[in-house]
């Protein structure tokens, strides 16, 4: 695993699973980036454990992407930008992972404004998580588009477009499975919290 191909959304607290975060730091050469999500976003106040972990990731050369839920375009622009700034100021995030991004062209102007604000705030890498294939107009707004997020049982039945700037996030995946996109993540986790596990090769024994 030498290519920087893994985009890992890992939603566990460093105090509860320090060994898993250490595994991510050790896997730095294989990582496209790690999504930092202290409290379904940046939270209301800085979390020292996440700040320390983000520092370790950055020191290892890993992109730290701050998680921001956009509610499919329903969340106001100002709220989204304020959260981007908290991730930058509290955790040194050098990019952003925008979740629940709309797919329809009607929301393009809203996300274009967010993208401009994110770049102005210092986001060198911008990821849109649509979870499904979006209107082509979104491709100019972000570095990476997540065009699938869901379980392996669904993913294996689909014939999805593949491109260098697409990413597939697959959970409930068997060991050895690799999604089709160059940047990807497949984890064994299931249920309501699948992103509390790492990819099979990185997941420490519990």
């Amino acid at each position: 695993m030498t290519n920087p191909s893994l985009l890992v959304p890992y939603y566990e607290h460093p105090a509860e699973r320090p060994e898993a975060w250490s595994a991510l730091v050790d896997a730095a050469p294989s990582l496209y980036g790690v999504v930092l999500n202290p409290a379904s976003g940046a939270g209301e106040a800085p979390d020292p454990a996440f700040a320390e972990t983000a520092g370790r990731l950055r020191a290892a050369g890993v992109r730290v992407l701050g998680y921001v839920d956009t509610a499919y375009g329903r969340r106001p622009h100002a709220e989204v930008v304020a959260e981007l700034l908290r991730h930058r100021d509290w955790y040194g995030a050098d990019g952003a992972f925008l979740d629940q991004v709309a797919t329809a062209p009607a929301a393009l102007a809203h996300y274009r404004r967010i993208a401009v604000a994110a770049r102005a705030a210092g986001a060198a890498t911008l990821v849109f998580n649509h979870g499904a294939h979006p209107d082509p107009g979104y491709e100019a707004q972000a570095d990476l588009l997540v065009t699938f997020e869901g379980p392996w049982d669904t993913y294996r039945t689909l014939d999805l477009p593949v491109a260098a700037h697409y990413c597939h996030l697959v959970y409930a995946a068997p060991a050895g499975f690799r999604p089709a996109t160059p940047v990807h993540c497949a984890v064994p986790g299931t249920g309501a919290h699948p992103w509390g596990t790492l990819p099979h090769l990185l997941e420490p024994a519990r």
Side-chain angles (χ1 to χ4, degrees):
M1 290 173 57
T2 57
N3 295 325
S5 58
L6 292 175
L7 172 63
V8 182
Y10 187 55
Y11 304 158
E12 287 286 317
H13 197 279
E16 295 178 5
R17 292 209 65 203
E19 74 289 350
W21 286 100
S22 293
L24 281 171
V25 173
D26 292 342
S30 69
L31 301 179
Y32 177 90
V34 172
V35 182
L36 204 72
N37 187 11
S40 296
E44 296 302 316
D47 184 317
F50 272 103
E52 189 269 339
T53 297
R56 290 171 60 205
L57 289 166
R58 290 196 314 275
V62 179
R63 290 182 180 96
V64 175
L65 307 175
Y67 175 95
V68 181
D69 185 358
T70 69
Y72 299 108
R74 296 188 301 272
R75 193 174 184 195
H77 173 85
E79 285 187 15
V80 171
V81 174
E83 189 147 46
L84 289 168
L85 293 173
R86 290 199 295 273
H87 275 295
R88 181 197 68 186
D89 296 343
W90 295 348
Y91 306 114
D94 43 22
F97 180 91
L98 301 186
D99 198 18
Q100 299 199 109
V101 175
T103 57
L108 265 170
H110 175 70
Y111 284 99
R112 191 176 295 117
R113 287 184 66 218
I114 289 174
V116 169
R119 301 294 191 191
T125 302
L126 194 55
V127 179
F128 282 3
N129 182 14
H130 303 275
H133 204 72
D135 182 87
Y138 287 93
E139 298 196 10
Q141 312 308 321
D143 300 286
L144 196 66
L145 305 181
V146 177
T147 58
F148 177 87
E149 180 183 1
W152 178 72
D153 278 348
T154 299
Y155 185 76
R156 64 178 177 165
T157 68
L158 303 176
D159 184 17
L160 298 171
V162 173
H165 58 292
Y166 294 166
C167 173
H168 295 163
L169 302 178
V170 183
Y171 54 82
F177 169 71
R178 181 190 183 282
T181 49
V183 179
H184 57 266
C185 190
V187 300
T190 60
H193 184 46
W195 303 113
T197 55
L198 295 178
H200 284 279
L201 290 176
L202 302 185
E203 180 68 18
R206 299 209 189 199

